[in-house]
Amino acid sequence: MAKIIAVANQKGGVGKTTTAVNLGASLGILEKKILLVDADPQANASSGLGINIKELKKGTYQLLEHTLTVEKTIVSTNSINLDLIPSHIDLVASEIELVDKNNREYMLKSALLSVTKKYDFIIIDCAPSLGLITLNALVAADSIIIPIQCEYFALEGLGKLLNTIKNIQRIHNKSLDIEGMLLTMYDSRLRLSNQVVEEVKKHFGEMVFKTIIQRNIKLGEAPSYGENIVDYDITSKGAKNYLSLANEIINRNGQKK
C-alpha cells in the first residue's frame, strides 16, 4: 500500500516542486515505485519532467472532476520507476468548480484509491496556496513534507500552515502526520542560512530532516532540460542531497532499500 506524501507550503519559492520531482526520482532510483501527482496549476513538475503541457488532454483536472479514472490520467516519464499525473493551467478552474460538489475535500483521496497498491509512494506537489486543491491533497495524504528555505522570513506563514494541518486533522484526516520539515536553499557561507537552520531545529527538533538541501546551480538547470537532478547530473550536490533525503524517508518508514 502506497504512502501518500504531500509536499506543501503556501509560501512560494521554497522548493516544493524541486523537492517533489527530485525526491520522487531519487526514490525511483532506490527501486521504489513512485507516482507523482502534479496538483499545481503552474504545472512546473510536469514540464520539469519533459511533459509538453500545451498538448495535454488528461491529468489532475480530470482526476479531481472525476471525468477520467486515475489509470487514464497516469503518464510514464523517462525517470526510472516514476509515473506522473500531469497538471495544466485548467486546474485553476477546479477551485471554483468543486465548491458546490458533495465531499469536495475528498475528490483526490477517492480518485487515488484504486492505484495505492501499485506504488510504494505517491507524492503530491501542491500549489503555493491553501485553497481547495491543496486541501484535497492534504486530505488524501498520510503525511506532509514542509520545505523551509534558509532565507530571511523563512518561518513566515508557517504558523498558518500548521493551523491548517491541525484543522484538517480535526475535521477531515485524523491520521495526517508531518513527515518532516525540509531545509532548502542552504548556503554554508552565509551566516543567515546557518541562523535559520539553528532556529528551525530549536523550534521543531526531531521534526526536521537531517538532510539539508544545499543551493546548487544544477538543481535550477535540470528542469529546463526536462530532467530530474539524478538523471541530469548524479554527481551534483543536489542529486546527493535528494538521494540522502530519499534514504532518510525509506528508513523513517521502515522500508527496505
Side-chain angles (χ1 to χ4, degrees):
M1 187 74 80
K3 177 159 194 184
I4 304 176
I5 303 175
V7 183
N9 188 334
Q10 81 274 21
K11 194 169 163 51
V14 298
K16 284 187 296 296
T17 299
T18 300
T19 294
V21 168
N22 293 309
L23 173 59
S26 297
L27 286 165
I29 290 283
L30 297 173
E31 298 182 352
K32 300 297 174 187
K33 283 284 290 172
I34 311 299
L35 175 62
L36 175 61
V37 181
D38 190 348
D40 184 351
Q42 294 176 84
N44 290 333
S46 303
S47 58
L49 284 170
I51 303 297
N52 186 344
I53 55 176
K54 290 178 182 175
E55 295 178 0
L56 204 62
K57 297 286 190 289
K58 58 184 184 178
T60 318
Y61 175 74
Q62 288 77 13
L63 189 68
L64 281 169
E65 297 287 328
H66 286 202
T67 55
L68 285 176
T69 61
V70 62
E71 289 85 359
K72 289 185 178 173
T73 61
I74 295 172
V75 298
S76 56
T77 72
N78 292 326
S79 306
I80 189 167
N81 291 325
L82 179 61
D83 290 340
L84 171 72
I85 299 177
S87 182
H88 187 273
I89 190 64
D90 287 353
L91 187 57
V92 170
S94 288
E95 291 281 359
I96 300 161
E97 292 168 7
L98 289 177
V99 167
D100 298 328
K101 295 197 175 180
N102 292 329
N103 297 319
R104 62 191 178 194
E105 299 92 349
Y106 298 88
M107 301 302 262
L108 184 58
K109 183 183 176 80
S110 60
L112 291 173
L113 275 176
S114 64
V115 294
T116 52
K117 289 182 180 174
K118 295 179 183 175
Y119 296 96
D120 296 302
F121 292 95
I122 296 174
I123 297 172
I124 308 172
D125 181 30
C126 297
S129 76
L130 293 177
L132 194 49
I133 299 170
T134 300
L135 179 58
N136 262 269
L138 296 180
V139 170
D142 298 306
S143 66
I144 175 173
I145 290 174
I146 305 172
I148 300 170
Q149 83 280 37
C150 297
E151 294 179 358
Y152 199 58
F153 293 137
L155 300 179
E156 187 183 49
L158 193 56
K160 189 176 179 183
L161 176 61
L162 294 174
N163 281 334
T164 299
I165 292 168
K166 278 183 188 173
N167 288 334
I168 290 168
Q169 287 168 330
R170 185 166 49 85
I171 302 167
H172 301 295
N173 184 1
K174 288 177 184 173
S175 60
L176 180 64
D177 195 10
I178 294 177
E179 187 76 25
M181 297 186 175
L182 178 67
L183 290 157
T184 63
M185 305 178 192
Y186 173 72
D187 187 337
S188 59
R189 298 167 300 177
L190 300 179
R191 191 166 70 173
L192 178 61
S193 274
N194 292 300
Q195 285 173 340
V196 171
V197 170
E198 280 178 34
E199 192 175 349
V200 172
K201 286 186 174 177
K202 185 175 76 177
H203 275 82
F204 299 107
E206 291 297 310
M207 290 167 69
V208 184
F209 284 110
K210 291 183 177 68
T211 302
I212 297 176
I213 308 301
Q214 295 168 280
R215 274 203 178 279
N216 180 234
I217 292 168
K218 301 283 186 181
L219 274 175
E221 289 176 353
S224 63
Y225 292 91
E227 291 187 344
N228 65 73
I229 189 61
V230 180
D231 290 338
Y232 182 65
D233 186 352
I234 199 163
T235 64
S236 67
K237 270 185 195 172
K240 289 172 183 172
N241 290 165
Y242 277 108
L243 284 164
S244 169
L245 177 64
N247 271 312
E248 198 172 338
I249 285 172
I250 289 169
N251 291 333
R252 279 190 179 201
N253 288 281
Q255 295 197 27
K256 290 180 181 175
K257 280 179 257 185

